Every structure is written in structure tokens, then in C-alpha cells.
């Protein structure tokens, strides 16, 4: 049951708990099925895809070097995000095909209106947690 323990650990590292609405973007054949299963076990349901119209608590954005413009992807990801929601940008580790330099995430996040708060080691992937600033200018009246 080591795999199950590791899987639960992935969800804990990501701050994902029961009944959260978790949207997955950028899925491909190289994504980590153990991490995906851990998240689904933790939330007690399936991951939502890009067509979901629900308010999202967490976005898992699988991102590789060749995937295009990260700022655009982040802007799309935060559209349905709840005020307290957050985005995990999941990138292949250094030395893996598709590795993304941490500086690309650090530079893209503020442009998309996000702040990087932490990182997580997730097997062959690295996660960067991005949050929205606490005060939203659009909400001030």
C-alpha cells in the first residue's frame, strides 16, 4: 500500500481536500496517473475538464515547455476560479522532456495577476502554487 500512501501524500501536498471542485487543464499521455488518482480519491469524485461551468477551487495545469504561452493559459485558468481558489502549475522536473524553467512561471504569474506562494515535489513533476491577490480591484465599489 505504499503507492496509496504516496498518492494520499500528493493530494496533501497540493492542499486538496474532500468536496473541492478541481479542474484539470493540459492533460496528455505524459501526466502522472498516480497524482490524478490521488486527487480524485481526496475529493471523492472526478476531475473537471476545461468545459466545466462550475466555480473551481483548484486548477491543476499540466504545463510543458512546448505548450505555448503560459500567461494566456493562466488567464484562462483563473476565469472560473473562486476567490479563495488557487492554481497548481505542474511541470516536468529538471532533465525531463518538456521541463519549464522556474523563472518562466515566476515571470508569467504576475502578468496573469497571480502570486507564487510555494512549490511541491510531485514525483517526476514539480508543482508551483499560484494564488490571486487578496484584494481584487474589480470587486471594489
Amino acid at each position: 500500500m505504499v503507492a496509496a500512501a504516496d498518492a494520499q501524500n500528493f493530494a496533501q501536498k497540493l492542499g486538496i481536500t474532500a468536496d473541492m471542485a478541481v479542474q484539470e487543464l493540459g492533460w496528455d499521455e505524459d501526466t502522472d496517473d498516480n497524482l490524478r488518482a490521488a486527487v480524485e480519491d481526496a475529493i471523492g469524485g472526478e476531475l473537471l475538464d476545461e468545459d466545466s461551468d462550475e466555480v473551481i477551487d483548484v486548477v491543476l495545469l499540466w504545463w510543458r515547455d512546448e505548450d505555448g504561452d503560459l500567461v494566456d493559459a493562466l488567464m484562462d485558468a483563473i476565469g472560473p476560479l473562486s476567490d479563495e481558489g488557487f492554481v497548481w502549475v505542474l511541470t516536468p522536473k529538471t532533465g525531463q522532456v518538456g521541463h519549464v524553467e522556474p523563472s518562466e512561471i515566476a515571470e508569467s504569474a504576475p502578468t496573469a495577476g497571480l502570486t507564487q506562494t510555494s512549490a511541491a515535489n510531485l514525483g517526476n513533476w514539480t508543482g508551483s502554487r499560484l494564488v490571486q491577490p487578496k484584494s481584487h480591484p474589480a470587486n471594489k465599489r
Side-chain angles (χ1 to χ4, degrees):
M1 289 314 245
V2 173
D6 286 347
Q8 185 59 37
N9 193 25
F10 283 152
Q12 288 175 344
K13 283 184 178 183
L14 296 172
I16 295 173
T17 58
D19 300 322
M20 283 183 147
V22 180
Q23 184 178 47
E24 178 182 47
L25 303 174
W27 179 91
D28 205 340
E29 292 180 9
D30 64 344
T31 56
D32 186 324
D33 288 334
N34 290 329
L35 190 149
R36 297 177 76 245
V39 171
E40 288 183 336
D41 286 347
I43 63 175
E46 294 185 3
L47 296 170
L48 303 171
D49 64 19
E50 64 272 1
D51 297 327
S52 174
D53 58 1
E54 291 188 40
V55 174
I56 304 299
D57 297 309
V58 181
V59 173
L60 300 180
L61 175 61
W62 299 96
W63 193 258
R64 301 145 202 92
D65 185 46
E66 66 278 358
D67 283 350
D69 186 342
L70 181 55
V71 173
D72 287 345
L74 290 172
M75 295 296 288
D76 290 342
I78 62 175
L81 204 59
S82 71
D83 287 345
E84 298 299 317
F86 50 93
V87 176
W88 277 100
V89 178
L90 306 172
T91 59
K93 275 194 168 169
T94 303
Q96 302 286 329
V97 174
H99 170 71
V100 175
E101 291 297 325
S103 60
E104 181 178 343
I105 298 167
E107 292 168 10
S108 298
T111 305
L114 298 166
T115 303
Q116 185 170 350
T117 60
S118 62
N121 177 352
L122 305 163
N124 289 327
W125 293 78
T126 299
S128 299
R129 185 177 190 266
L130 308 178
V131 300
Q132 302 172 92
K134 290 297 178 199
S135 61
H136 299 287
N139 292 343
K140 291 182 182 175
R141 297 186 192 265

